[in-house]
């Protein structure tokens, strides 16, 4: 199933019981919102601390968080078993309806499930529609009709489609309309179930969107309370966190390495705050600490306790950062061989980005050196052919060999191009923590403008993660930093949100 990207309510049919628009009233009464969300998600939010913490963090960090149905990999054993069972059920239903007289036992079970789904999509105040559905799909009456062989499946299907048209979000209109053209009763019922599944997911996501502020507040309070419970039982629980912040403070106090000035000047306006010569503050130390997490040695088990639930997310961000560093380095090297005319073409640059991303994605399970061998050969061919197509001088054999060699060297950490790009991306992320993503994008260092959109996505994810983490653990960070920073250097009494 495709991701549900539109968190929208149903349409407004124009009567007093119509569903609210996206700008309308919330779906659920305030007193029962969280219980309704828990029921909609189909999970026990109190079953395990870990599951709740992860779900709370996801909702708290992501403003566009949405649930989506689990899609099984094509050809997987689980997928084949599920498909076989579904096909067997629908084949059995077809046999029952084709029998003489028809057997309606499975149809009755389906109608019961459909009724429950339709009722679950109603607002609490939609009493008239609730009564109408209860009357039209009265299971006692339908059972009697089935026993006498008088159950009118096409008529009931048409009524269900009309109700779906009324209740579905606009994004589902086309799917419902397609169902109206199906005449086979089994295919129609199967299609109804599929679309109702999408409608349920729409409702869940709209409910999450409506509850976002309350969920975020609940998430912060819940995670902090759970951590405090653990801290009460294990007073040493913040030892790794203290060492992590101590290391960050030491990094900021150490002299700048050679070459750092050039990297800093590449982000002159936004980085003034990020590279301020003023005394250390808790915010500066935390920013450095969060950046250090993107370079964390996987063999180092002393990961800060306050970020253990975010470790997988940080590893994903680190992988994304590494891919962007490779991409930017590849584009920078390619530009010096392509010429201003060719590389001045947005279409050509976009093509190089697409090719590089695709190849890196295909080779992500291989060492970078092997991946860059494939990338370098493909890009050299793309540049050579594009130069010829534009009537420009094609790459000589020497230039081709030089291009391939330089692109392959990008995979080495000590490569000068890669090193500069790494420094500039980290500087950009530091600016994001201090000034925000949009302001940091206004003055990107050279070499990063070609990956602006990708950097914006990375920066937003990083800022969201750190912001939520600080909301939860800010009081603990404040107490730790009071002991790390001299009083004259502590310019803030509390850790503020970045």
């Amino acid at each position: 199933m495709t991701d549900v990207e539109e968190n929208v309510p149903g349409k407004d049919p124009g009567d007093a019981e119509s569903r609210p628009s996206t700008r309308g009233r919330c779906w659920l009464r305030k007193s029962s919102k969280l219980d309704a969300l828990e029921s909609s998600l189909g999970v026990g939010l109190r079953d395990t601390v870990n599951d709740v913490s992860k779900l709370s963090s996801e909702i708290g960090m992501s403003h566009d968080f949405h649930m989506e149905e689990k899609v099984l990999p094509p050809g997987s054993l689980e997928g084949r078993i599920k498909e076989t069972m579904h096909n067997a059920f629908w084949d059995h239903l077809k046999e029952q309806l084709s029998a003489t007289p028809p057997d309606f036992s499975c149809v009755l079970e389906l109608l019961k499930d459909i009724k429950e789904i339709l009722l679950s999509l109603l607002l609490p105040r939609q009493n008239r529609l609730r009564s109408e559905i209860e009357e039209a799909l009265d299971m006692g009456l339908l059972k009697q009709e089935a026993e006498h062989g008088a159950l009118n499946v096409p008529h009931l299907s048409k009524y269900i489609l009309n109700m779906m048209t009324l209740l579905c979000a606009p994004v589902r209109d086309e799917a419902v309309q397609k169902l109206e053209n199906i005449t086979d009763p089994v295919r129609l019922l199967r299609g109804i179930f599929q679309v109702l599944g999408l409608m349920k997911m729409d409702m869940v996501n709209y409910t999450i969107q409506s509850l976002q502020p309350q969920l975020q507040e609940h998430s912060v309070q819940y995670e902090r309370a759970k951590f405090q419970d653990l801290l009460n039982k294990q007073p040493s629980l913040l030892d790794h966190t203290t060492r992590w912040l101590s290391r960050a403070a030491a990094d900021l106090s150490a002299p700048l390495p050679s070459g750092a000035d050039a990297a800093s000047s590449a982000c002159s306006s936004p980085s003034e705050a990020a590279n301020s010569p003023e005394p250390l503050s808790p915010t500066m130390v935390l920013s450095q600490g969060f950046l250090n997490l993107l370079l964390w040695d996987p063999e180092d088990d002393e990961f800060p306790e306050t970020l253990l639930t975010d470790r997988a997310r940080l590893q994903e961000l680190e992988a994304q950062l590494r891919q962007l560093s490779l991409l930017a380095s590849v584009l920078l090297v390619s530009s010096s061989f392509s010429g201003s005319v060719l590389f001045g073409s947005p279409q050509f640059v976009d093509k190089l980005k697409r090719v590089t991303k695709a190849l890196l994605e295909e080779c992500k399970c291989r060492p970078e050196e092997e991946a860059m061998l494939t990338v370098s050969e493909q890009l050299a061919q793309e540049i050579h052919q594009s130069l010829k197509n534009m009537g420009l001088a094609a790459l000589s054999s020497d230039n081709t060999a030089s291009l391939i060699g330089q692109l392959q060297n990008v995979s080495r950490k000590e490569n000068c191009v890669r090193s500069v790009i790494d420094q500039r991306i980290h500087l950009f992320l530091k600016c994001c923590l201090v000034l925000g993503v949009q302001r940091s994008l206004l003055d990107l260092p050279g070499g990063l403008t070609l990956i602006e959109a990708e950097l914006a996505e990375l920066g937003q994810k990083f800022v969201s993660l750190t912001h939520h983490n600080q909301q939860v653990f800010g009081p603990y960070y404040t107490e730790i930093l009071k002991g790390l920073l001299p009083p004259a250097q502590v310019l803030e009494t509390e850790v503020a949100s970045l």
Side-chain angles (χ1 to χ4, degrees):
M1 188 186 77
T2 56
D3 292 359
V4 182
E5 296 179 351
E6 299 189 49
N7 298 323
V8 289
K11 299 182 294 299
D12 186 347
D15 59 20
E17 292 190 342
S18 63
R19 303 177 72 78
S21 66
T22 307
R23 301 180 300 275
R25 295 178 292 277
C26 187
W27 277 28
L28 305 170
R29 294 188 181 93
K30 185 175 181 180
S31 61
S32 62
K33 282 181 176 179
L34 291 177
D35 291 338
L37 175 61
E38 178 176 337
S39 175
S40 298
L41 294 178
V43 296
L45 292 183
R46 302 175 185 84
D47 286 350
T48 64
V49 173
N50 286 339
D51 288 344
V52 177
S53 297
K54 290 178 181 178
L55 181 60
S56 297
S57 295
E58 287 289 349
I59 296 175
M61 284 186 292
S62 177
H63 293 289
D64 59 351
F65 175 87
H66 64 276
M67 299 292 292
E68 53 188 79
E69 185 179 345
K70 179 183 178 182
V71 178
L72 299 174
S76 66
L77 178 60
E78 186 179 357
R80 293 199 302 270
I81 292 175
K82 182 178 179 180
E83 183 179 2
T84 300
M85 293 178 64
H86 284 190
N87 290 338
F89 171 81
W90 294 109
D91 289 342
H92 180 60
L93 176 62
K94 186 173 184 178
E95 291 176 2
Q96 285 190 338
L97 293 181
S98 301
T100 306
D103 182 351
F104 294 111
S105 56
C106 281
V107 170
L108 287 175
E109 290 299 319
L110 290 175
L111 291 175
K112 181 181 178 181
D113 290 342
I114 289 174
K115 176 183 177 180
E116 291 176 356
I117 295 174
L118 290 175
L119 291 175
S120 73
L121 296 175
L122 295 176
L123 303 177
R125 62 184 175 80
Q126 291 182 300
N127 296 320
R128 183 180 62 79
L129 285 178
R130 188 177 303 276
S131 299
E132 180 182 325
I133 294 173
E134 291 282 5
E135 180 180 351
L137 298 177
D138 184 330
M139 297 312 299
L141 180 60
L142 294 180
K143 185 178 180 180
Q144 292 179 15
E145 293 178 356
E147 291 174 350
H148 292 85
L151 189 65
N152 192 335
V153 176
H155 174 75
L156 291 169
S157 298
K158 184 176 181 180
Y159 170 79
I160 293 168
L161 284 177
N162 290 337
M163 190 57 61
M164 291 170 65
T165 300
L166 180 65
L167 298 178
C168 76
V171 71
R172 304 300 169 203
D173 281 342
E174 184 179 354
V176 176
Q177 290 171 3
K178 287 181 179 180
L179 294 178
E180 296 174 354
N181 299 323
I182 299 177
T183 56
D184 179 75
V186 176
R187 285 186 58 222
L188 179 56
L189 286 171
R190 188 168 189 171
I192 285 173
F193 258 87
Q194 290 174 342
V195 177
L196 281 174
L198 298 177
M199 292 171 61
K200 285 180 64 177
M201 199 62 68
D202 291 340
M203 185 191 109
V204 169
N205 286 319
Y206 178 74
T207 304
I208 290 174
Q209 182 190 48
S210 301
L211 299 176
Q212 194 79 23
Q214 293 161 281
L215 289 171
Q216 288 175 341
E217 181 181 355
H218 172 77
S219 169
V220 170
Q221 295 174 350
Y222 179 88
E223 291 182 63
R224 187 184 298 163
K226 289 299 178 183
F227 188 83
Q228 184 62 51
D229 288 343
L230 295 173
L231 187 60
N232 293 338
K233 299 174 184 176
Q234 188 178 346
S236 62
L237 192 59
L238 287 171
D239 286 357
H240 293 170
T241 302
T242 302
R243 282 193 283 272
W244 163 61
L245 291 175
S246 299
R247 190 183 308 173
D251 290 343
L252 289 173
S253 301
L256 287 174
S258 60
D261 292 339
S264 300
S265 64
C267 187
S268 55
S269 298
S271 63
E272 288 176 2
N275 294 279
S276 173
E278 298 178 0
L280 298 184
S281 69
T283 298
M284 293 168 61
V285 175
L286 267 176
S287 298
Q288 184 63 42
F290 286 127
L291 285 169
N292 288 347
L293 294 174
L294 296 178
L295 301 172
W296 199 268
D297 183 356
E299 301 298 324
D300 187 349
D301 294 329
E302 293 189 356
F303 202 81
E305 298 89 347
T306 55
L307 284 138
L308 283 175
T309 57
D310 295 319
R311 189 167 191 176
R313 299 185 188 95
L314 286 163
Q315 289 173 340
E316 291 175 4
L317 291 179
E318 191 274 334
Q320 187 176 348
L321 186 155
R322 190 168 59 250
Q323 292 288 80
L324 287 185
S325 179
L326 273 175
L327 177 61
S329 301
V330 164
L331 293 175
L332 194 59
V333 170
S334 299
S335 66
S336 62
F337 287 85
S338 303
S340 58
V341 175
L342 180 58
F343 215 77
S345 167
Q347 293 81 6
F348 173 73
V349 175
D350 287 343
K351 184 178 182 180
L352 283 190
K353 286 176 65 175
R354 289 196 307 271
V355 171
T356 303
K357 285 181 178 181
L359 292 175
L360 290 176
E361 182 65 24
E362 290 177 8
C363 303
K364 65 181 180 181
C365 296
R366 293 159 51 187
E368 283 187 2
E369 292 81 1
E370 295 183 17
M372 287 310 302
L373 176 61
T374 303
V375 171
S376 61
E377 293 175 348
Q378 182 64 39
L379 291 193
Q381 182 178 342
E382 292 286 348
I383 293 172
H384 180 81
Q385 189 60 45
S386 296
L387 287 171
K388 288 180 61 178
N389 292 343
M390 294 186 68
L392 302 172
L395 292 177
S396 65
S397 56
D398 290 342
N399 283 340
T400 300
S402 178
L403 172 59
I404 292 176
Q406 290 190 38
L407 288 176
Q408 290 178 12
N409 286 334
V410 162
S411 62
R412 299 177 181 175
K413 292 293 184 181
E414 65 273 14
N415 177 267
C416 60
V417 174
R418 177 74 175 275
S419 178
V420 169
I421 292 296
D422 280 341
Q423 289 181 18
R424 291 177 178 177
I425 291 180
H426 279 86
L427 180 61
F428 166 76
L429 291 175
K430 191 170 187 178
C431 294
C432 287
L433 292 179
V434 177
L435 301 173
V437 178
Q438 294 306 314
R439 286 183 62 186
S440 301
L441 289 171
L442 296 176
D443 193 14
L444 281 177
L448 300 188
T449 54
L450 295 175
I451 57 169
E452 180 177 347
E454 293 82 0
L455 281 177
E457 179 186 352
L458 175 65
Q460 190 57 59
K461 288 180 180 178
F462 189 48
V463 169
S464 296
L465 186 152
T466 57
H467 176 77
H468 180 77
N469 182 267
Q470 284 185 96
Q471 285 185 310
V472 176
F473 299 106
Y476 303 105
Y477 295 150
T478 297
E479 290 303 314
I480 292 173
L481 290 169
K482 282 181 180 179
L484 292 178
L485 302 179
Q489 290 182 302
V490 180
L491 306 180
E492 303 164 348
T493 59
E494 293 183 355
V495 174
S497 298
L498 294 181

